[in-house]
Amino acid sequence: MSLYTSLMRMVENHVAPLAGRIGSQRHIIAIRDGFICAMPFLIVGSLMLIVANPPFDATTTSRFGQAWLSFAKNHWDTITMPFFMTMGLMSVFVSIGAAYSLAKHYGLDALTAGLLSLMAFLLAAAPQADNKMSLDFLGGQGVFTALLCAIWSVELIRLLKKYNITIRMPEQVPPAIARSFELLYPVIGILLTVYPISILMQSEFQLLLPAAIMQVFQPLISVGDTLPAILLAVLIANLLWFAGIHGDNIVTGLLNPIFMANLATNAALVAQGAATTQTLTAPFWSFYVCIGGSGSTLVLAFLYMRSRSVHLRTIGKLSVVPAAFNINEPLLFGSPVVMNPTLFIPLIVVPMINATLAYFALNWDLVEKMVAMAPWTTPAPLGAMISASWDIRAALLVLVLMVINLAIWLPFFKVYEKQLLAQEHQSAETEHKAADPAAAQ
């Protein structure tokens, strides 16, 4: 049995079924949805941070640069206010969004679940003192606490409902009022569980609950930001893609808390004028690892456009525009790349090489690390530059990676093109014989 056959058998029999179960697990879906809900706020907020940090040195001779620097300096508080009210409250959005999604999966009232999750999270993360509320853990530092509060809030509602522990109002009471009373016991439940733990952590360990939870998850974040962990994630995602499963949805769904915690850490460091430290963020994945979509197939779309094969040329023309915006399902399934042994090696290897080169480029300070959240559909060179706080070297890195991607994809494309040309030639001959039997004799 060849290595390829053994690998495919393992993926089909073990990895794909497990990934399918993980991908359809309601709590995983809720976590993913929570971050999706927060995404618009994060994009706008992080762009404001970029506006507040012009890509010019203070000694620049550019008039535009000096004007931008002066504007940013004179209006720093005004410009950064949306950043603190979006990126700075990231965990609030995640908490509500995740609870809302999970409650919908259970068939519960999603709005009240989201509100209960918000209450639980604020009790744990934002103690009030002197009529002021701390914002320290409402951003990326509180994201794990936000998710735990969301899950516990919804599970509490579900358990109380399951065992019929609820306040039932007469039928004449309007539904909205009845739902409000049904939430009383869950609110009390949160008050009797989350709040005492928060008080205990503060009194005994002088820690807020999110700080303690962050310490628990810190090893995971540290390991997740290493090259071996990144390569493992990329490998799993693309093996799943090869098996026809949306690997990115599953892997990035699990990695989202790390993505967001790292991005928030970098953004906070930039806001303080300090150097960034974290590598693995959502823009890193979108613009360096997956240029043109999973498998980094943008260059493959360009190759297809100039192919002698009618099929590949048609797919190339149809898929190149979506691929420019990092959407490559038409190419992956139309080509197909999925379940195609000829294209297996580049599908797996190209993203891993991209991840490795980008990792070293960022950690050797050849390119700025990501501090902002450009939309993942932004063309990769532009998205990388925006996310790296206007660092033009980020766009150049993407172009270098694309050249390397081209060199790797090209020989496999040639082999696949040759196979299709032979098939198309045979089909044409068959059709010709069918249309003109006399000529065939």
Side-chain angles (χ1 to χ4, degrees):
M1 184 184 296
S2 68
L3 177 63
Y4 171 77
T5 306
S6 301
L7 184 61
M8 282 314 302
R9 185 164 294 177
M10 184 194 73
V11 171
E12 288 176 0
N13 295 338
H14 302 288
V15 178
L18 177 63
R21 285 197 292 274
I22 292 174
S24 59
Q25 209 281 332
R26 56 170 65 93
H27 296 90
I28 299 295
I29 294 174
I31 290 173
R32 183 199 64 195
D33 290 349
F35 285 106
I36 291 174
C37 290
M39 202 63 70
F41 306 101
L42 304 186
I43 290 171
V44 172
S46 57
L47 291 180
M48 296 307 294
L49 182 65
I50 294 174
V51 173
N53 292 275
F56 296 99
D57 188 80
T59 59
T60 181
T61 56
S62 164
R63 288 187 179 181
F64 174 72
Q66 284 294 343
W68 190 349
L69 286 166
S70 175
F71 175 79
K73 183 179 179 182
N74 294 332
H75 300 87
W76 173 266
D77 291 338
T78 305
I79 299 171
T80 54
M81 177 60 78
F83 165 75
F84 290 113
M85 293 297 105
T86 50
M87 284 284 283
L89 300 179
M90 171 199 302
S91 296
V92 173
F93 303 124
V94 171
S95 172
I96 297 172
Y100 187 95
S101 173
L102 185 57
K104 283 185 72 175
H105 279 281
Y106 280 130
L108 302 172
D109 186 82
L111 176 60
T112 54
L115 294 176
L116 186 66
S117 172
L118 175 62
M119 172 202 163
F121 178 59
L122 293 178
L123 273 177
Q128 183 267 352
D130 299 330
N131 218 23
K132 296 177 182 175
M133 198 166 70
S134 170
L135 302 180
D136 292 348
F137 290 98
L138 300 188
Q141 293 295 310
V143 71
F144 289 102
T145 307
L147 292 171
L148 292 174
C149 287
I151 292 172
W152 170 234
S153 300
V154 177
E155 292 296 343
L156 182 63
I157 295 174
R158 186 179 69 85
L159 286 172
L160 292 175
K161 191 162 187 172
K162 179 180 178 182
Y163 293 104
N164 206 24
I165 304 173
T166 185
I167 296 176
R168 296 199 178 279
M169 302 299 289
E171 292 183 358
Q172 293 80 6
V173 176
I177 296 176
R179 281 202 302 271
S180 300
F181 279 91
E182 287 177 2
L183 194 62
L184 274 177
Y185 283 159
V187 170
I188 294 171
I190 290 295
L191 203 62
L192 294 178
T193 53
V194 177
Y195 193 41
I197 296 174
S198 178
I199 292 174
L200 178 68
M201 294 302 301
Q202 292 178 58
S203 60
E204 294 298 322
F205 303 101
Q206 288 73 52
L207 279 176
L208 283 178
L209 192 54
I213 292 174
M214 204 64 186
Q215 287 186 6
V216 173
F217 282 97
Q218 192 57 50
L220 177 64
I221 295 174
S222 299
V223 171
D225 208 43
T226 61
L227 182 58
I230 294 172
L231 291 180
L232 179 62
V234 174
L235 174 64
I236 293 173
N238 287 283
L239 280 175
L240 293 174
W241 262 118
F242 188 75
I245 298 172
H246 201 306
D248 270 36
N249 262 357
I250 295 170
V251 173
T252 59
L254 295 172
L255 289 178
N256 259 330
I258 297 177
F259 282 166
M260 295 306 170
N262 285 347
L263 189 69
T265 298
N266 284 348
L269 289 170
V270 167
Q272 296 164 14
T276 53
T277 57
Q278 306 304 112
T279 302
L280 183 60
T281 58
F284 177 90
W285 187 280
S286 299
F287 304 129
Y288 291 143
V289 178
C290 303
I291 303 171
S294 300
S296 200
T297 54
L298 179 57
V299 295
L300 187 61
F302 291 141
L303 290 173
Y304 279 5
M305 286 182 66
R306 301 181 61 83
S307 173
R308 290 175 294 154
S309 161
V310 175
H311 173 70
L312 292 184
R313 196 164 59 247
T314 304
I315 294 297
K317 290 177 181 176
L318 289 173
S319 61
V320 69
V321 173
F325 295 92
N326 303 318
I327 299 168
N328 67 342
E329 279 83 352
L331 185 144
L332 288 177
F333 293 103
S335 175
V337 176
V338 170
M339 299 297 286
N340 186 335
T342 307
L343 302 178
F344 172 73
I345 290 177
L347 177 68
I348 301 298
V349 170
V350 168
M352 296 182 73
I353 288 178
N354 285 2
T356 303
L357 295 177
Y359 180 89
F360 285 116
L362 268 63
N363 282 277
W364 288 346
D365 295 327
L366 301 177
V367 178
E368 291 290 340
K369 295 185 177 70
M370 303 304 200
V371 300
M373 177 73 82
W376 65 270
T377 49
T378 308
L382 180 61
M385 187 173 70
I386 293 173
S387 300
S389 191
W390 299 111
D391 186 357
I392 187 70
R393 296 171 299 177
L396 295 177
L397 175 59
V398 173
L399 296 177
V400 169
L401 293 175
M402 288 177 64
V403 172
I404 296 170
N405 295 172
L406 179 65
I408 300 172
W409 273 109
L410 183 60
F412 296 92
F413 157 74
K414 288 289 186 185
V415 172
Y416 187 45
E417 181 188 48
K418 189 175 180 181
Q419 294 171 356
L420 289 186
L421 283 172
Q423 292 174 12
E424 290 173 3
H425 181 68
Q426 189 175 10
S427 298
E429 280 191 347
T430 305
E431 289 177 6
H432 179 69
K433 289 176 182 176
D436 189 1
Q441 295 172 358

